[in-house]
């Protein structure tokens, strides 16, 4: 998976997450954890672990 910034008019406003193949729940959890860390590092008020916890709950509900 890769995480990159927006392009054109969206530059500096969004980020994009992409992949070139199979992605499983572990990949999603890692990507969300890294996003939380980056957001924290740049001063955005994201409680560490909140996104990972939400994703874990979804994955558990899907019996993965």
């Amino acid at each position: 998976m890769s995480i990159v910034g927006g392009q054109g008019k969206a530059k500096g406003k969004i980020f994009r997450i992409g992949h070139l193949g199979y992605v499983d729940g572990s990949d999603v959890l890692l990507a969300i954890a890294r996003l939380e860390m980056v957001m924290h590092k740049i001063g955005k008020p994201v409680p560490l672990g909140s996104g990972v916890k939400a994703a874990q709950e979804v994955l558990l509900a899907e019996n993965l």
Side-chain angles (χ1 to χ4, degrees):
M1 295 181 76
S2 62
I3 303 170
V4 296
Q7 299 174 330
K9 292 179 184 179
K11 188 173 184 176
K13 298 178 182 178
I14 67 165
F15 59 85
R16 299 172 292 137
I17 301 173
H19 66 88
L20 294 173
Y22 179 77
V23 175
D24 67 10
S26 297
D27 297 317
V28 172
L29 293 174
L30 178 59
I32 292 171
R34 293 299 293 161
L35 281 173
E36 288 178 346
M37 292 170 68
V38 169
M39 299 293 279
H40 180 77
K41 199 169 196 175
I42 65 172
K44 299 297 180 184
V46 175
L48 295 177
S50 60
V52 172
K53 181 179 184 288
Q56 287 173 318
E57 290 170 350
V58 169
L59 292 170
L60 286 170
E62 294 177 356
N63 296 316
L64 297 178

